[in-house]
Amino acid sequence: MLKAKILFVGPCESGKTVLANFLTESSDITEYNPTQGVRFESCWPALMKDAHGVVIIFNPDIPSHRKEIEMWYSCFVQQQLLQDTQCLLIAHHKPGSGGDKGKLSLSPPLNKLKLVHSNLEDDPEEIRMEFIKYLKSIINSMSESRDREEMSIIT
């Protein structure tokens, strides 16, 4: 059985914990309580070690988040030499925000990433299905990599 390590990263108050809880079905959606995550960059290398994928979550209604996600992409995807296919960008719309799914203008290289909109109030199953597709692609990639490694040992 393959185990995938997927990191959920992004700016404060973007919805990382709510989405992680929803996708893992570990709790109901409740009001916002700040998560005491790893806010210290000195800890990031330990977190990133052996990661198979990165989900960058941001609130598109907060203009500073669009700029901040460039840093998250640089640190967690580019510097770790992950492929863009190993990254999923989620524009998480908070309840009551209206969830405008209009075209977001993101700067390169973010505009090349798979972008999905999340609104747990209006269409919770859409984000679940998108995440499952993403997870399947990560597992397929891991399986292919393992197969190549096994073939190189055999030959």
Side-chain angles (χ1 to χ4, degrees):
M1 180 165 134
L2 290 175
K3 288 186 178 181
K5 180 177 178 180
I6 308 291
L7 305 178
F8 277 48
V9 300
C12 293
E13 296 188 39
S14 57
K16 298 177 294 291
T17 301
V18 168
L19 275 171
N21 287 342
F22 172 75
L23 292 169
T24 59
E25 300 175 345
S26 57
S27 77
D28 290 330
I29 302 164
T30 60
E31 72 275 351
Y32 176 71
N33 291 311
T35 306
Q36 293 304 314
V38 181
R39 306 268 185 239
F40 305 108
E41 290 185 38
S42 60
C43 298
W44 291 358
L47 286 176
M48 292 183 265
K49 183 177 176 6
D50 301 326
H52 300 103
V54 176
V55 177
I56 301 174
I57 301 164
F58 69 104
N59 182 338
D61 301 319
I62 301 175
S64 63
H65 278 199
R66 292 188 198 185
K67 192 70 181 158
E68 203 175 323
I69 59 175
E70 293 176 19
M71 181 276 299
W72 292 101
Y73 175 77
S74 174
C75 290
F76 284 85
V77 179
Q78 289 180 319
Q79 291 178 23
Q80 299 308 306
L81 305 177
L82 295 179
Q83 301 297 311
D84 284 349
T85 55
Q86 292 173 277
C87 182
L88 178 64
L89 198 55
I90 298 179
H92 180 64
H93 301 273
K94 294 201 172 180
S97 68
D100 178 19
K101 292 185 177 184
K103 180 86 171 117
L104 281 176
S105 61
L106 298 172
S107 59
L110 297 175
N111 61 354
K112 292 185 245 153
L113 299 175
K114 169 82 172 160
L115 169 67
V116 295
H117 289 265
S118 161
N119 187 325
L120 299 181
E121 212 175 39
D122 294 344
D123 194 358
E125 289 311 307
E126 181 181 357
I127 189 61
R128 189 185 311 277
M129 296 312 298
E130 288 292 343
F131 183 73
I132 288 170
K133 280 195 277 186
Y134 165 73
L135 198 51
K136 283 181 179 176
S137 74
I138 294 293
I139 297 295
N140 287 339
S141 175
M142 290 170 60
S143 179
E144 289 169 7
S145 176
R146 186 181 65 183
D147 291 348
R148 280 193 303 274
E149 190 177 313
E150 288 174 357
M151 287 306 291
S152 71
I153 293 170
I154 293 169
T155 55

